[in-house]
Amino acid sequence: MKIGIPKALMYYFYYPFWKTLFESLGFEVVTSDDTSKSILDIGVKEAVAEICLPMKVYTGHVLNLLEKGVDYIYVPRFVSLRKGIFMCPKFMGLPDMIKGLFDRIEDKILTHHIVSKTLDISEFHNYTIFIEKFGIGKKDLKKALAKAREEWLKFRRLNKEGYDINELLTSNKPQKYDGDITIGLLGYVYNVYDRFVNMDIFSVFRRLNIKVVTFDMMDEKVIYKNLRNFRKNMFWEFTNMLLGTAYEFMKRDDIDGIIHLTAFGCGPDSILEPFLTIDSEKNKKPFMTIRIDEQTGESHVITRVEAFTDLIRMKKYKAEEKAKGVV
Amino acid sequence: MEKVYIGVDVGSVSIKVVAIDNDNNILFRSYVRNVGQPIDIVKEELKKLHNELPDKEIGGVGVTGSGRQLIGYVLGADVVKNEITAHATATIYFHPDVSTIFEIGGQDSKLIIINDGTIADFAMNTVCAAGTGSFLDHQAQRLGIKIEEFGEIALTAKREVRIAGRCTVFAESDMISKQQYGFSKAEILKGLSKALVRNYMNNLVRGRKLRPVFVFQGGVAANIAIKKAFEEEIGHEVIVPKHYDIMGAIGIAMIAKEEVKRTGRPTKFKGFDVSGEKFETTTFICKACPNECEIIQIKANGKIIAMTGDRCGRYSNSVI
């Protein structure tokens, strides 16, 4: 049986888990193609009109999988990844939204709730539908989940060592990249690692000799520690993680500047953005927002990143000159 | 032979070419509308530059603006850099005490914050081109006035009228209805100027604390009504520099000069002969993958010199 996994949204965070899980259960795993103009175009055309860009991209990937003739498309309903904190409502409604968009697709969508206490989504109770639906034995499922968890933890460990997710997902020999300045890149995995949607921003960074640090490279404990000063949490888990990471970036001397990469129409980010703008200024960290959308041209990303790096380099150079003067 | 440095700013609406000497004196300047053939225009302007300064040696060339990559390649530029850095460099030179730069060009607007003589922060309009030069151009045309007269006419307005400035489409329909209510052209133009500044404050300034000295540059700075609207909005004098319309070109010429001096390498400038070469641009759709990129191909005397537009580098990497 063929299970299709859309290369969008949480693919960039959980694919190693899903691949191992389904393969251990005897399924063949098929992913959609990399995001391309035609996937984006069809997604924009078919998706709910007023929704954010990542959801439109996801819709395009679902259609791409339908063309590939899979038996099921896996669209889990992410509800919570930490006690009392929820995912963005669009994630919670995603399976319904996809089912509502197309005729006769309902039977093809494989979905279940994911309610987890941590980012580790291997808790057994989430997956009992597999027993009912496919007649998989309890023991086998538990074993597959344990194996998937192990794979995922390995992936996360490397990720936290500083390998970016695309390196880990696409390369047999992942590489780390260095640079003469370091930028903290804040953004959800599906914006930061979708090379098409963000105009391959990592290659722009590499060309300009910039090292990039992202939230997924941070230890969760560090992220949550930074959130303790807040009386209230953000409503959405990954927004919390970006905020916690942002405060870590603001404290760290080795981070020369912060870029927030956000997709047009992102509700959670509209609440996150003022915190980043105001507090990065307070902490004297250069900060910039790059907004990506379906019609964004590459040159606008390059111009902004270039000008931002010029700013940082000049600042650094001046500080060094000043330090020399004092000595 | 005395050396001069050339700066070219290829904007969406206009092309600026300058030549400066070692002490940043401006020996040549030109500002022409970009009517869609940037290579031809730059060639023409370089010819003029050469005629006016026949006994000068070219020490370096810098190119900025949205069309910088192609022209930079065609000329053999020593520096190809973004317009934010270029603008700020020139402004800091002419007004060393500047803190805030408003720059409004044809298709984008920028806010640059200077601290201690370096860029401390900047903002650019995101996706929308409302409130930029081409919008004013279009509206002036619709009202049947010359863009050069826009500011003077707006200053004669007797009454205030509010035009919705959030979006070009809304602004236009709002203007039409206000006209139909009997407001004069001058009043409409004044309302439009205020709307543009309001829009700028909303989109770019976004609550930042602005400090004097304020400098307003870019093509739109020629419009005295906009300058006034800025002054009213922030409650402070705004300076329009003498060379407001060519600041980007001056800045990039200065950066090119520094770059050549820093590296000690001779300029890569391909020479004035480039103006004798025949350039031809063609496009085709690449079918190698589902991205279907539009590939732009530039030929000089029949030989392919540059290809761009591909996301994967299949063509652009094959030439250089």
Side-chain angles (χ1 to χ4, degrees), chain A residues 236-254:
Chain A
W236 307 286
E237 182 53 5
F238 282 99
T239 316
N240 272 315
M241 301 202 71
L242 292 191
L243 189 66
T245 307
Y247 287 115
E248 186 62 20
F249 286 169
M250 289 177 205
K251 280 193 284 194
R252 269 169 61 171
D253 284 338
D254 66 316

Side-chain angles (χ1 to χ4, degrees), chain B:
Chain B
M1 207 158 42
E2 200 201 346
K3 280 188 179 167
V4 295
Y5 302 86
I6 298 177
V8 182
D9 181 354
V10 189
S12 53
V13 174
S14 61
I15 292 176
K16 287 75 82 175
V17 180
V18 301
I20 59 169
D21 66 11
N22 220 356
D23 304 317
N24 298 334
N25 296 311
I26 294 152
L27 305 182
F28 174 86
R29 59 162 290 159
S30 84
Y31 177 103
V32 275
R33 286 248 159 185
N34 183 354
V35 285
Q37 296 291 321
I39 297 178
D40 291 343
I41 295 171
V42 172
K43 265 164 60 173
E44 200 55 41
E45 295 312 302
L46 279 185
K47 213 187 278 171
K48 282 185 210 156
L49 185 151
H50 191 42
N51 286 341
E52 278 187 35
L53 310 168
D55 53 347
K56 300 278 195 264
E57 187 191 335
I58 304 305
V61 178
V63 183
T64 187
S66 51
R68 62 185 179 274
Q69 297 299 351
L70 169 63
I71 299 296
Y73 190 84
V74 169
L75 296 182
D78 299 295
V79 181
V80 176
K81 242 189 196 317
N82 66 84
E83 20 333 354
I84 294 167
T85 311
H87 270 281
T89 304
T91 318
I92 292 166
Y93 174 73
F94 290 109
H95 299 276
D97 47 356
V98 64
S99 284
T100 308
I101 303 173
F102 306 127
E103 198 273 338
I104 305 185
Q107 292 226 318
D108 56 30
S109 42
K110 305 169 198 77
L111 167 73
I112 310 172
I113 309 281
I114 308 289
N115 201 347
D116 260 357
T118 43
I119 303 175
D121 192 10
F122 68 89
M124 262 173 105
N125 58 332
T126 45
V127 267
C128 177
T132 59
S134 27
F135 170 63
L136 291 182
D137 242 5
H138 180 67
Q139 298 313 332
Q141 213 174 45
R142 212 182 58 79
L143 293 168
I145 60 155
K146 283 202 187 104
I147 188 71
E148 293 82 2
E149 297 164 358
F150 187 117
E152 291 295 337
I153 295 174
L155 288 187
T156 65
K158 292 194 180 65
R159 291 169 298 185
E160 295 280 337
V161 57
R162 190 185 164 95
I163 308 278
R166 204 67 182 132
C167 165
T168 308
V169 181
F170 294 150
E172 185 157 338
S173 62
D174 203 24
M175 274 168 56
I176 293 170
S177 76
K178 296 280 156 67
Q179 264 183 304
Q180 281 162 345
Y181 284 127
F183 287 97
S184 71
K185 265 185 198 177
E187 283 152 358
I188 300 280
L189 291 175
K190 187 179 175 193
L192 210 51
S193 310
K194 291 195 133 182
L196 186 143
V197 170
R198 216 163 45 230
N199 198 16
Y200 183 96
M201 290 292 162
N202 269 332
N203 286 340
L204 279 85
V205 179
R206 303 191 73 177
R208 283 184 181 84
K209 253 210 186 93
L210 302 180
R211 290 173 299 119
V213 170
F214 299 98
V215 172
F216 175 29
Q217 60 198 47
V220 174
N223 190 322
I224 186 154
I226 306 272
K227 173 182 183 275
K228 259 200 114 188
F230 264 118
E231 288 177 335
E232 279 173 27
E233 180 71 39
I234 56 177
H236 196 282
E237 187 205 356
V238 170
I239 300 169
V240 173
K242 186 176 166 208
H243 303 294
Y244 65 90
D245 53 342
I246 53 165
M247 294 293 266
I250 297 172
I252 199 68
M254 288 168 63
I255 295 170
K257 187 178 76 183
E258 292 302 317
E259 176 75 11
V260 170
K261 284 187 179 167
R262 192 178 60 81
T263 59
R265 282 196 297 261
T267 177
K268 294 177 208 149
F269 181 48
K270 290 182 183 164
F272 289 102
D273 290 342
V274 78
S275 50
E277 278 182 272
K278 207 176 151 295
F279 291 99
E280 191 192 356
T281 307
T282 53
T283 74
F284 64 90
I285 305 289
C286 169
K287 295 276 185 196
C289 88
N291 284 339
E292 300 192 357
C293 299
E294 184 185 12
I295 314 294
I296 300 168
Q297 196 176 44
I298 298 127
K299 287 182 185 170
N301 294 335
K303 189 176 161 273
I304 297 170
I305 55 154
M307 287 171 104
T308 83
D310 51 344
R311 278 171 170 265
C312 66
R314 180 190 179 97
Y315 293 101
S316 47
N317 293 342
S318 70
V319 182
I320 315 159

